[in-house]
Amino acid sequence: MSRTLTQWLAHLEKLHPVAIDLGLERIRIVAERLNLLSVPIAQRVVTVAGTNGKGSTVAMVDAVAQAHGLSTASYSSPHLLRYNERLHLDGNEVSDEALIDAFERIEAVRQDTGLTYFEMGTLAALVIIRDRAPDIAILEVGLGGQLDATNIIDADVGIVTSVALDHADFLGTDIERIGAEKAGILRAGRPAVLGSRQLVASVAAHAESLPVSRCLTLGREFDWQWEASGRWQWQRPNGEGVSLPDPNLPLDNAASALTALDAIGLSLNAEQLEKAFSGIRLSGRMQRIGRYCLDVAHNPHAATYVAAQLARRPATRRVALLGMLGDKDAEGVIEALWPVVDDWLPVTLSGARARQAQTLADIIGARGGQVIAVADSPNEGIDWLEQHSQHDDVLVCGSFFTVAEALARLERGDGFA
């Protein structure tokens, strides 16, 4: 009897003794059995690595390509509400049936090769993409770069969005080594797009050592700037300026997405770009539901961006519903958000890696912050806010887990005043 998708996902969690096991040996063996490495999975492949901004970059590459009439497949992680969110085909979530079929095909050839949950999911996505053979496949690196499961596929253009400290248990704290790891997605003779103004030296050094065909760096070969009208202008590598609507996503990433598509030869049309950037929406990234703003920012670099965006939208009084994992830099995130948050409501997340709400409250209290309540979950935090808070703006952030639980609750809308 065939497993349901829920049953398959439970099965995947048991296939390997550890959740994260960086390295390409195991996945490459199974990929070869699936004939994934013998033919291209798409006409063009864009791979996106970095600490922050990968998801928004993938979404913008996807939207622009679709607006120009190209078929697309985009793979990203993690998901917020449904596993199917990880793979989009022409902008639509992949079906349960397609995922189940792919998992069955992988299991039939896997034999005794142990694969992690992420490796199985990546192989399933690649099988589905290869069978569909879209014009463009966009792959988001899960963790690191060179040793990430997505890196078994050679990218036609590689984008490195940013490099900051995160996932220290797996990547360490040497920022230059982390940069070199993320730059491992780049390929000799193919263009590289480096999408940060503060990119560590090892990324550019790696690109130059390959060498790539063109190294396009934000602030040097391409750039962006605000216009007086509230729109923004992408400054192309050829020096031309293109005026576009604000997608409410990081413009460093928007400019990088456009530069990558330009680098692989897509002829970008002003009318289609206008259409693409007018319609991009990405769950969990500065997402507004009523008075709630949800963002998955979980490290200081991402929190700094959120704070800058909120500073452009002043509130009479703002509270942060903050839930974080124990291995994240809570002090750095709180410091980054401090200028735009008046009051705090720490919440506890579920699972062994969770940080207790009271621990977050102690950090905030030590800085002199106002903790209005603590809650045992994001759900309970929203309950408290709906019953007791008169704040006109609520920021929900700190983790994908925080946003996922809050998003599910807010989309249901139950129990609201």
Side-chain angles (χ1 to χ4, degrees):
M1 183 176 177
S2 178
R3 294 183 176 102
T4 65
L5 179 57
T6 299
Q7 291 169 333
W8 264 109
L9 296 178
H11 175 65
L12 302 191
E13 292 177 347
K14 304 172 184 176
L15 291 182
H16 202 65
V18 295
I20 299 175
D21 189 3
L22 295 176
L24 301 182
E25 296 82 4
R26 299 180 314 280
I27 191 171
R28 193 180 295 278
I29 289 171
V30 182
E32 288 174 347
R33 293 173 185 164
L34 293 163
N35 296 318
L36 278 173
L37 307 182
S38 57
V39 295
I41 64 169
Q43 291 296 311
R44 293 285 186 272
V45 176
V46 179
T47 299
V48 184
T51 305
N52 298 305
K54 293 177 293 184
S56 61
T57 304
V58 167
M60 288 185 276
V61 172
D62 197 349
V64 171
Q66 284 186 66
H68 285 78
L70 301 180
S71 59
T72 67
S74 61
Y75 174 60
S76 60
S77 64
H79 60 278
L80 285 172
L81 302 182
R82 298 169 300 279
Y83 185 87
N84 312 62
E85 297 168 22
R86 296 188 178 212
L87 178 60
H88 283 80
L89 305 172
D90 294 328
N92 300 309
E93 291 180 10
V94 68
S95 68
D96 287 9
E97 292 75 19
L99 287 167
I100 291 168
D101 176 69
F103 287 140
E104 289 175 346
R105 290 160 66 183
I106 297 165
E107 192 76 343
V109 302
R110 184 176 64 83
Q111 300 173 8
D112 60 348
T113 304
L115 295 172
T116 66
Y117 182 97
F118 180 72
E119 289 168 340
M120 281 288 288
T122 299
L123 283 174
L126 295 178
V127 165
I128 294 168
I129 295 170
R130 189 270 315 274
D131 290 350
R132 194 177 182 89
D135 295 316
I136 292 185
I138 311 112
L139 307 179
E140 178 187 337
V141 173
L143 180 69
Q146 180 174 320
L147 300 179
D148 186 83
T150 56
N151 204 35
I152 61 171
I153 302 298
D154 293 330
D156 292 285
V157 59
I159 304 173
V160 181
T161 60
S162 66
V163 177
L165 294 178
D166 201 2
H167 302 292
D169 290 351
F170 301 99
L171 301 179
T173 57
D174 184 330
I175 196 70
E176 293 295 340
R177 290 186 63 181
I178 294 172
E181 171 66 21
K182 293 185 184 298
I185 65 152
L186 305 177
R187 294 296 190 269
R190 299 182 181 181
V193 176
L194 310 185
S196 172
R197 300 178 199 278
Q198 293 84 38
L199 212 56
V200 298
S202 59
V203 177
H206 185 85
E208 292 167 3
S209 71
L210 288 173
V212 297
S213 63
R214 297 175 70 195
C215 189
L216 303 164
T217 303
L218 179 65
R220 194 172 66 190
E221 285 78 19
F222 73 99
D223 211 333
W224 68 269
Q225 63 183 13
W226 284 112
E227 295 181 337
S229 62
R231 292 164 64 89
W232 68 287
Q233 184 180 108
W234 170 45
Q235 296 174 339
R236 306 177 67 160
N238 66 4
E240 177 188 351
V242 181
S243 177
L244 295 164
D246 181 8
N248 199 32
L249 292 169
L251 295 182
D252 285 359
N253 302 331
S256 298
L258 292 175
T259 300
L261 288 169
D262 184 69
I264 57 174
L266 179 59
S267 180
L268 298 173
N269 174 277
E271 182 179 346
Q272 303 310 318
L273 288 177
E274 185 80 17
K275 174 183 174 183
F277 279 94
S278 296
I280 296 172
R281 300 292 182 270
L282 187 58
S283 293
R285 278 74 165 184
M286 298 302 294
Q287 180 181 1
R288 285 275 172 183
I289 302 178
R291 64 171 174 157
Y292 291 84
C293 175
L294 300 91
D295 196 282
V296 296
H298 55 271
N299 57 46
H301 181 273
T304 298
Y305 170 77
V306 170
Q309 293 300 102
L310 291 177
R312 298 173 58 200
R313 181 174 173 165
T316 304
R317 196 156 187 85
R318 179 179 291 120
V319 61
L321 188 155
L322 180 69
M324 298 191 67
L325 298 178
D327 56 356
K328 302 302 179 183
D329 181 3
E331 290 86 350
V333 168
I334 291 167
E335 180 179 358
L337 296 176
W338 198 263
V340 295
V341 173
D342 301 292
D343 298 319
W344 302 81
L345 199 165
V347 300
T348 300
L349 302 180
S350 59
R353 295 170 60 204
R355 190 188 299 263
Q356 295 298 305
Q358 189 56 55
T359 303
L360 290 170
D362 291 343
I363 296 171
I364 294 163
R367 286 184 59 103
Q370 175 68 32
V371 176
I372 56 174
V374 295
D376 290 334
S377 70
N379 252 330
E380 291 190 15
I382 291 175
D383 283 341
W384 192 96
L385 288 168
E386 288 302 303
Q387 294 171 21
H388 303 288
S389 171
Q390 299 301 312
H391 293 80
D392 64 332
D393 202 64
V394 179
L395 170 66
V396 179
C397 69
S399 171
F400 273 86
F401 297 105
T402 311
V403 170
E405 186 172 325
L407 180 59
R409 166 63 187 283
L410 293 170
E411 287 192 344
R412 288 197 311 269
D414 56 313
F416 279 55

